[in-house]
Every structure is written in C-alpha cells, then in structure tokens.
Amino acid sequence: MWLLKSSIGRKLIMSISGLFLVVFLLVHMSINLVSVFSEELYNELCHFMGTNPIIQVMVPILAAGFVVHIIYAIILTLQNRKARGDSKYASSNKSDVTWASKNMFVLGIIVLGILGIHLAHFWAKMQLPEWTGGEGELGYTLVSNLFRNPVHVILYLVWLAALWFHLTHGFWSAFQTIGFNNSIWYTRLRTIGNIYATVVCVGFAIVPVFFVLGLDKYCR
C-alpha cells in the first residue's frame, strides 16, 4: 500500500496524526488553565475526563495517534538521513530550513521524554486508578503539589520550550504536506503556526509559574 510504503504516504500519515495532536494540545491547555481560576471546577473536569465513556474511547485513539506520529517520525528521519546525510527536510525554499526544521527529531525526543515524566505524575495517579475501578487523586492537589517544586517547574518549562520549536515548524509543515503548499499559504501558515505554538505554550506555562510563585494563596 503506497500510503505506508512511499515517502509521501508516510509524511501524510505523520502530518495527519500531528494535526490530531495539535487539537488535543489546545484542549488540554484550556483545561489546565482552569486550575488557576477554580479548584472545584478543575477537579470536576479531571473527574469528567477520567470517567466519561466518550473520553475513554478517545484516549486510546489519541494514544494510537501519538504512537503513529512517533513511529513515522523515526522512519522518516532514518530515511532522510540515509538519503541526504543530516538533512531532514528537502525544500527548494531556503527559508524553510530553520533551526527547528533541522532539529525536529531531537526536539521530539525531548518532548517525548518529559511527557513520560508528566504522565507518570498525573495520568498514572489520576485517571489510571479510575480506569481500574479505584479512586484517583484530585487533579488540583496533584498539580499544586507538583508545581511547588522548582525542579519540576524547570523540567516542564524545558518541555514547553522544545514543544514550541517543534510546533512552530510542525504546524505549517503538516498543512504543507496535505496540500497547502503555495507561497500565499506558506506565509499564512507559518504565522498561524507561530501564534498557535505561542498561545499553547504560554497557556501551559502559566500553570506551573502560578503555583511555584504561590499565587494560588491569594486567590482563595
């Protein structure tokens, strides 16, 4: 099947799975921001995410999309390095070759590594117990306690920095792969991608900074 065997097909699969994750990140960031404004509402949202049947179906699909994205990123990286040395992206437009585009695989590894730590602290303690019939810890308690530790905050901010660079290139590159590849759309998508990446990463960053500075004490 050409979709799985050809370079173009693999890029298409990685792009579609990446856009799926783009939507997830925006939703996840929005939910995280609720913790800054309301402890009760945030706990209710976490409980809803952990028990709603529709969400339970979506989580494995999301996980599958993430795995597919990683697998095809590895395949394409190895394929590109074999064909063109260290060049990961072929482009006739030299402005395409940014620092982020040349380091997407490394940025992805950083994002994946710290994401694993993040899942171990939150998903494993909050949603997994509810899936197995137990009772997970309250989301607000986990977030507030974890982000009082400056080490975890620094790791989280490093993750966000890597994620920002990854998204600024990945966003427009994904749309370019699925057909939005003329000069007009290239400029528009790069701008939209930068705005999207900044909004998402700043939104995520507000939460750890809020708690590590103890600002929640003034909101009660």
Side-chain angles (χ1 to χ4, degrees):
M1 183 178 180
W2 76 268
L3 193 61
L4 299 177
K5 295 181 179 180
S6 72
S7 176
I8 295 176
R10 290 168 179 169
K11 288 180 180 179
L12 183 61
I13 291 175
M14 191 173 74
S15 296
I16 293 174
S17 61
L19 290 174
F20 183 62
L21 295 173
V22 159
V23 176
F24 165 75
L25 284 172
L26 187 60
V27 173
H28 188 33
M29 179 275 293
S30 301
I31 293 174
N32 275 15
L33 275 178
V34 173
S35 65
V36 172
F37 303 101
S38 172
E39 176 180 352
E40 181 179 355
L41 180 56
Y42 182 67
N43 284 333
E44 289 179 1
L45 285 172
C46 290
H47 180 69
F48 173 80
M49 296 290 287
T51 58
N52 183 270
I54 297 177
I55 301 297
Q56 303 315 302
V57 173
M58 290 301 297
V59 169
I61 295 175
L62 174 66
F66 191 70
V67 171
V68 167
H69 189 72
I70 294 170
I71 290 173
Y72 277 87
I74 293 173
I75 291 173
L76 286 170
T77 297
L78 295 176
Q79 177 182 309
N80 289 338
R81 285 183 175 175
K82 182 178 180 180
R84 296 185 295 272
D86 291 331
S87 177
K88 303 177 184 62
Y89 295 91
S91 173
S92 59
N93 186 346
K94 294 300 182 182
S95 63
D96 289 358
V97 186
T98 62
W99 183 87
S101 70
K102 292 186 292 184
N103 293 278
M104 284 294 281
F105 187 72
V106 174
L107 291 168
I109 292 297
I110 295 173
V111 170
L112 178 62
I114 301 180
L115 179 62
I117 297 174
H118 186 66
L119 290 174
H121 281 104
F122 290 101
W123 182 80
K125 296 179 180 179
M126 191 163 44
Q127 288 188 330
L128 183 58
E130 292 180 336
W131 282 16
T132 56
E135 185 174 344
E137 295 185 40
L138 292 176
Y140 188 88
T141 301
L142 283 172
V143 170
S144 60
N145 288 342
L146 184 68
F147 289 140
R148 303 228 187 262
N149 186 331
V151 174
H152 288 297
V153 173
I154 291 172
L155 280 174
Y156 198 74
L157 294 179
V158 169
W159 174 69
L160 290 176
L163 182 64
W164 186 88
F165 281 109
H166 195 80
L167 288 173
T168 53
H169 177 76
F171 184 93
W172 66 260
S173 180
F175 279 101
Q176 189 178 55
T177 298
I178 62 178
F180 295 87
N181 55 4
N182 59 56
S183 58
I184 295 176
W185 275 107
Y186 172 79
T187 302
R188 291 174 179 173
L189 290 172
R190 287 201 68 167
T191 300
I192 295 171
N194 287 340
I195 294 172
Y196 165 82
T198 301
V199 168
V200 166
C201 292
V202 170
F204 273 121
I206 287 173
V207 178
V209 172
F210 179 79
F211 286 108
V212 78
L213 294 180
L215 297 180
D216 57 307
K217 297 176 184 177
Y218 302 100
C219 299
R220 294 177 179 176

